Amino acid sequence: MHIMGILNVTPDSFSDGGRFISASQSAVKEIDVVVEEAQRLLDAGADIIDIGGESTRPGAEPVHPDHEQQRILPVLERLLGVSAVISVDTRHPATAEAALQLAGHRASELIINDVSGLLTDAAMPRTVARFGCEVVITHNRGDARTMQDRAEYRDVVGEVITELLTIRQRYLDAGVSAERIILDPGIGFAKTHDQNWQLLRHLSRFTDLGHRILLGVSRKGFLGQLLADSQGAPRPPEQRDAATASLSIHAAHAGCWAARVHDPRPTADALAVLTALR
């Protein structure tokens, strides 16, 4: 299984926001520091670097595509020279197009990681088809401000699969080949903590769909709740990496293609042990 390392150039992501840019900055000032972090992720076991310029945590304020591009494009330009697969985490077709144009002849090697779900902009499938890149389709029912109000399901696994396939069809209709599509069940997006666990117990139903499956659970709130202290206070995000690695192993057993994580080392070590046992 592959490891996707998270590189957030945002001021407000739930776990690592503000490391490279503050709310008062329009762009990253010290690109070298961000590139060093990308190299650290690779050295720790990541195969893919996922660059994000807009927080998708519940309640986050939206970012204009122009501002998002000011954050991520200078980083992307530098990372195109690194020996790794690069993913661009964006829900904006304009940002996806700018990133793909910047990549030039390597555009088809990029991954566009879009968490818009049912709100996917109609231009995104057309953009992906035009450049021939890969795309991650994530299940979601709203934006960062509304998604947690839409976590009502009678059969969460069945409905998530149905809605994922509905979004997938938009890409197929636009001319994107099925082999270029990666599916993500969207843990934490328009889901309660209990619904997250239900989806995780049935990952094989997603891997049976015939697409590569990306799992993004790293440091998320349902793990903080699970690991709460005796007073009920959630475990801080940066102390959830062992739990994240446990779920990465679960994902590998289920046949997932990749796990998206903040700290690759615990997951890489756990996967090395799993490989040795097999």
Side-chain angles (χ1 to χ4, degrees):
M1 188 174 74
H2 296 290
I3 299 175
M4 178 182 283
I6 299 169
L7 186 64
N8 285 326
V9 283
T10 61
D12 56 346
S13 292
F14 80 95
S15 174
D16 54 0
R19 288 186 64 192
F20 308 114
I21 187 171
S22 68
S24 62
Q25 291 176 303
S26 60
V28 176
K29 300 300 183 184
E30 299 183 19
I31 299 294
D32 288 345
V33 175
V34 183
V35 174
E36 288 173 4
E37 173 62 11
Q39 188 59 56
R40 187 196 70 79
L41 292 170
L42 294 171
D43 292 342
D47 309 290
I48 305 162
I49 300 296
D50 188 49
I51 311 167
E54 178 181 43
S55 175
T56 55
R57 63 174 174 79
E61 289 297 316
V63 174
H64 192 279
D66 290 345
H67 295 155
E68 182 184 42
Q69 292 166 40
Q70 289 172 8
R71 293 173 178 178
I72 69 173
L73 292 182
V75 176
L76 173 62
E77 185 173 24
R78 288 285 300 275
L79 292 186
L80 287 170
V82 175
S83 180
V85 176
I86 305 298
S87 170
V88 177
D89 185 345
T90 182
R91 61 191 179 91
H92 301 292
T95 298
E97 175 139 6
L100 291 162
Q101 288 181 343
L102 179 62
H105 70 280
R106 293 187 56 194
S108 63
E109 301 173 17
L110 261 60
I111 301 171
I112 298 300
N113 183 9
D114 185 356
V115 302
S116 298
L118 293 174
L119 298 184
T120 297
D121 191 302
M124 189 66 90
R126 296 194 298 268
T127 300
V128 169
R130 185 154 41 89
F131 284 92
C133 63
E134 295 185 314
V135 63
V136 177
I137 301 172
T138 303
H139 178 269
N140 197 351
R141 286 180 164 180
D143 59 24
R145 294 171 297 179
T146 63
M147 61 186 179
Q148 293 311 108
D149 296 328
R150 300 178 181 178
E152 296 184 4
Y153 306 85
R154 291 190 177 184
D155 170 13
V156 65
V157 179
E159 290 176 53
V160 166
I161 288 173
T162 297
E163 292 173 9
L164 259 181
L165 295 181
T166 297
I167 306 162
R168 179 195 66 169
Q169 192 61 45
R170 301 176 192 174
Y171 282 87
L172 295 175
D173 291 344
V176 179
S177 66
E179 294 77 16
R180 307 298 279 171
I181 295 173
I182 302 158
L183 301 180
D184 183 335
I187 301 298
F189 294 108
K191 320 289 190 306
T192 65
H193 292 335
D194 181 63
Q195 289 162 354
N196 290 330
W197 289 114
Q198 290 182 58
L199 291 168
L200 288 165
R201 294 185 189 105
H202 294 90
L203 280 181
S204 61
R205 290 184 60 184
F206 291 89
T207 56
D208 287 346
L209 295 173
H211 289 274
R212 290 168 291 167
I213 302 298
L214 172 67
L215 187 69
V217 298
S218 184
R219 299 180 177 178
K220 289 191 173 179
F222 74 105
L223 293 177
Q225 182 188 59
L226 175 72
L227 305 172
D229 63 22
S230 57
Q231 282 73 48
R235 177 83 59 84
E238 65 276 7
Q239 297 177 24
R240 302 172 189 170
D241 290 328
T244 297
S246 296
L247 285 178
S248 296
I249 291 300
H250 174 62
H253 275 297
C256 289
W257 166 74
R260 182 178 182 273
V261 300
H262 292 85
D263 184 359
R265 180 63 68 196
T267 286
D269 289 352
L271 289 173
V273 171
L274 179 63
T275 300
L277 288 171
R278 286 177 170 173

